[in-house]
Each structure stands twice: as structure tokens, then as C-alpha cells.
Amino acid sequence: MSELVTLTIDGVEIKAEPGTSVLRAALENGIYIPHLCDHPDVSSVGICRVCIIEIEGRRPTVSCKTPVEEGMVVTTSNEELEKTRKINLELLVLNHDYNCQSCAKNSQCKLQELTRYIGLDEERIKAMREPELPHEIDDSNPYYLRDLNKCVLCGICVRTCEEIQGDGCIDFAFRGIKTKISVLGDKPIAESTCVTCGECVTRCPVGALVPRREMEPTYEVETICPFCGCGCAIAVGARGGKLVSSRAVPGSPASGGTLCVKGRFGLSFVNSPERLTKPLIRKDGELVEASWEEAISYVAQKLGQYKGDQFAAIASAKCTTEDNYVMQKFTRAVMETNNIDHCARL
Ligand code: FES
């Protein structure tokens, strides 16, 4: 491990790993610096300029892009810095849709947090504000909504798509006041190469990207995603006995804290009225509900009619490792064949 760097932030001496940004070093040591476009999962770009600081002997700069240095003396707040920070925040808020009450991110919005912390002159903002919301809500994706009227152009979604998902389907488009996050050809998101992993949705700090969800969960339970053999940890949210949400568990060794479309948005089958909960046996061409005893005896009797290569089994990633072990043991030892495969490999 390399030697730690010692620096002073607001009169407090702290130590940090070389290469750490001043912002991260401050936050890790309980010193808050307002910030918006920085996210620990992706690279820093220094877009919002809210995290501005002063370093002794230098001009003001952004803390998210400045690495710690030995002996550095940092000031995070003084009159001049707060004035600049406020102007930078005003520029971000200026054309943001202010309908916070109806926003799905209300009370979890980073912009709300910043406006509360820094404070804004509402009258000044109102005077500069465009009267119309310029963007239509993009509801083309079945799992999330895109409302660019709430986008603050922090670019976290762009970096997430590029650096975490490796898709790169979104980017900054157009220039000046017309700048927005868009896809190739400025089409609806559903017509892009978006794979609906939802990673951008989970990291969006405002209400620009929100999951389509009928209800918010009242409690969560950690479990393993049932869709394939990767074993990604998920936290499923429930409300009134129904599964209503799913999110990645940070630090999961299998997933690295990310999820695919199935694990994040594909669990509605749990409460689907079309879900099979009882076995069906085909009688006279019709599938008829049966008891488990009847179904198991029926399968046992049928299995007795086949042996060796007449038989093949496909196991499921939705079963436990133990279930799958028994399945292959049964196939090899009882049915006397190696014809066994698993859906996670298909
Ligand atoms: Fe540093 Fe946005 S958080 S510039």
C-alpha cells in the first residue's frame, strides 16, 4: 500500500490515499462539500462546478477533479466560494422542472439537497426562467421514464452507460442552451441500443430517469436473483405482501453491485395472476389442474418407460445448487444417461 498523503481541509488535518480527489477525501472524513456531477462509481468530469474549493496559493478549482497532495491547505467555504457556488447552482436549476411535489424523486433528489444547503433566490430564478418546459417525456421504455425537463446535465448517466455497462448508447447532444442527453439520431430511448439494465436510472441524482413503478416498497429483503447462475445479490422491496421493486446490493461479489434488465425489472412474474402455482396434466388434449401427489405419480410412471439416451434433462438456474445436484445425480444414476444441461448455459 502506498504512503498516505496528509492535507488540511478547513483546518482539520486528514490523511488520504494518493490519487483520491479532495472531494472524496473530504467526504470520507466527514467534511461535506456540496457536489452533483460526481459519483463514486464513475470517473469525475467536473461539470457542475458546485464542489468549488480554494487551495492555498492557487485559484479556486473543483474538488472532484483535484487529487490530494502532501501539505495541501484547502478551504471549502468562504464568502467568495459560496457566491460562486450559488451562481453555479442557479444555472443548474434555471430550466429544471420545479414540480417537485409530483416528482417521483421528491425528497430523494440531489438538487433539492443542494438548494436546501446552498439556498436560492427564488425571485431571481423565476425572472430568468423559460415559461415552457421544452421536452416531451420519453415513455418509450417499458421500465423507466425519461424526463429531460428535470435533467441537470451532470452526465452521470452517460458515464454509467459507457464505463459500467459498456453500452455507450447515450451522450451529450446539441450545443449551448439546447444541450441535452440523447441517443443516436435523437430518437426515443426504446429505439436506441439501450439494454434497459437500469444502471443509469439508479444513479440519476434527480427525477430525469425514474423507474415505472406503481408503488414504493415499505420494506426490503436481501436475496439472490433467480434468473441465471451468476448469483447476483438483490434487495427486493415489498408492499402489502406484493413484490414491487428490486435493486442491486452494493458490493455483491457476483455482480459488483450492478444488475441486468431481468434482475432489476423482471420480477413482476412473482405476483402475476398468470403464474402457474399448481401442476397441470394434459388429459384428452386439455391441460387440467392436478394435485402435486397426482402429478408426481404421473411423472414417475412415465419416467419408468424411458432409459438411457431416450431421456434428457434440462435443469434450471431458478433451483438451488442442491436441487441441481440431485437432478444430475438422478439423470446419471437412475436414468443412466449424461444427457443433462442447464438453462444458465443456454
Ligand atoms: Fe465537482 Fe460537479 S461535483 S464539478
Side-chain angles (χ1 to χ4, degrees):
M1 207 164 89
S2 42
E3 225 165 89
L4 295 177
V5 171
T6 305
L7 68 157
T8 307
I9 303 182
D10 292 342
V12 180
E13 192 177 285
I14 64 163
K15 292 195 183 297
E17 288 280 345
T20 313
S21 70
V22 173
L23 173 65
R24 287 289 140 203
L27 295 175
E28 281 159 22
N29 284 278
I31 302 168
Y32 180 66
I33 302 176
H35 57 283
L36 182 64
C37 70
D38 191 79
H39 193 287
D41 297 345
V42 292
S43 60
S44 300
V45 286
I47 292 177
C48 74
R49 322 301 286 179
V50 173
C51 69
I52 190 164
I53 50 162
E54 229 171 61
I55 299 170
E56 204 171 80
R58 302 188 205 171
R59 289 166 54 181
T61 186
V62 288
S63 58
C64 63
K65 283 288 284 173
T66 309
V68 292
E69 282 173 31
E70 188 63 39
M72 204 178 228
V73 178
V74 178
T75 303
T76 67
S77 179
N78 60 30
E79 202 178 321
E80 209 43 45
L81 285 176
E82 292 308 329
K83 202 169 142 198
T84 312
R85 189 168 278 147
K86 198 165 176 173
I87 293 171
N88 292 344
L89 183 62
E90 278 177 359
L91 293 172
L92 291 166
V93 168
L94 204 52
N95 289 320
H96 180 82
D97 178 1
Y98 244 13
N99 279 321
C100 296
Q101 293 305 324
S102 60
C103 179
K105 272 278 179 62
N106 190 16
S107 82
Q108 294 154 24
C109 171
K110 195 89 180 162
L111 204 53
Q112 281 180 328
E113 180 189 312
L114 287 176
T115 49
R116 271 195 300 269
Y117 187 86
I118 298 169
L120 282 180
D121 182 341
E122 295 286 343
E123 291 309 312
R124 211 169 109 89
I125 300 276
K126 261 189 211 151
M128 292 188 286
R129 194 168 263 278
E130 295 278 336
E132 301 289 331
L133 297 175
H135 303 289
E136 298 231 330
I137 295 177
D138 181 353
D139 61 356
S140 62
N141 188 290
Y143 299 109
Y144 67 89
L145 293 171
R146 241 172 125 239
D147 184 354
L148 295 186
N149 299 304
K150 294 177 183 153
C151 177
V152 284
L153 297 173
C154 66
I156 291 175
C157 56
V158 174
R159 283 170 281 146
T160 297
C161 195
E162 179 68 39
E163 297 171 19
I164 295 178
Q165 190 59 23
D167 194 357
C169 89
I170 45 176
D171 208 339
F172 289 88
F174 307 102
R175 309 193 65 161
I177 191 87
K178 292 205 163 66
T179 305
K180 64 176 184 173
I181 306 295
S182 190
V183 302
L184 189 65
D186 197 23
K187 295 192 172 143
I189 193 80
E191 292 176 37
S192 73
T193 57
C194 171
V195 293
T196 315
C197 64
E199 291 300 327
C200 57
V201 180
T202 60
R203 287 177 183 79
C204 177
V206 293
L209 295 167
V210 290
R212 286 171 182 261
R213 197 183 276 166
E214 283 171 20
M215 290 184 279
E216 290 300 314
T218 48
Y219 67 95
E220 285 189 328
V221 178
E222 280 196 21
T223 181
I224 299 292
C225 176
F227 274 110
C228 74
C230 290
C232 302
I234 53 172
V236 288
R239 188 185 186 108
K242 276 192 167 186
L243 191 154
V244 295
S245 68
S246 167
R247 64 171 177 85
V249 174
S252 159
S255 69
T258 62
L259 284 181
C260 72
V261 58
K262 291 185 284 182
R264 192 181 308 282
F265 298 119
L267 292 171
S268 53
F269 72 87
V270 172
N271 302 117
S272 170
E274 288 173 25
R275 184 179 171 188
L276 274 187
T277 53
K278 295 208 173 110
L280 302 175
I281 296 178
R282 195 177 295 279
K283 290 178 183 165
D284 300 328
E286 291 278 317
L287 285 170
V288 181
E289 254 185 32
S291 67
W292 283 105
E293 290 73 24
E294 192 186 345
I296 290 167
S297 324
Y298 180 79
V299 171
Q301 179 241 321
K302 284 278 178 195
L303 284 178
Q305 298 172 8
Y306 302 97
K307 264 287 183 270
D309 285 347
Q310 292 175 317
F311 178 86
I314 305 289
S316 171
K318 288 190 170 71
C319 300
T320 62
T321 307
E322 290 79 2
D323 286 341
N324 280 318
Y325 174 81
V326 170
M327 184 74 165
Q328 67 81 31
K329 196 78 182 163
F330 173 80
T331 305
R332 294 199 165 100
V334 179
M335 301 308 289
E336 298 173 1
T337 176
N338 289 327
N339 290 343
I340 170 117
D341 211 335
H342 190 279
C343 71
R345 215 183 58 76
L346 302 180

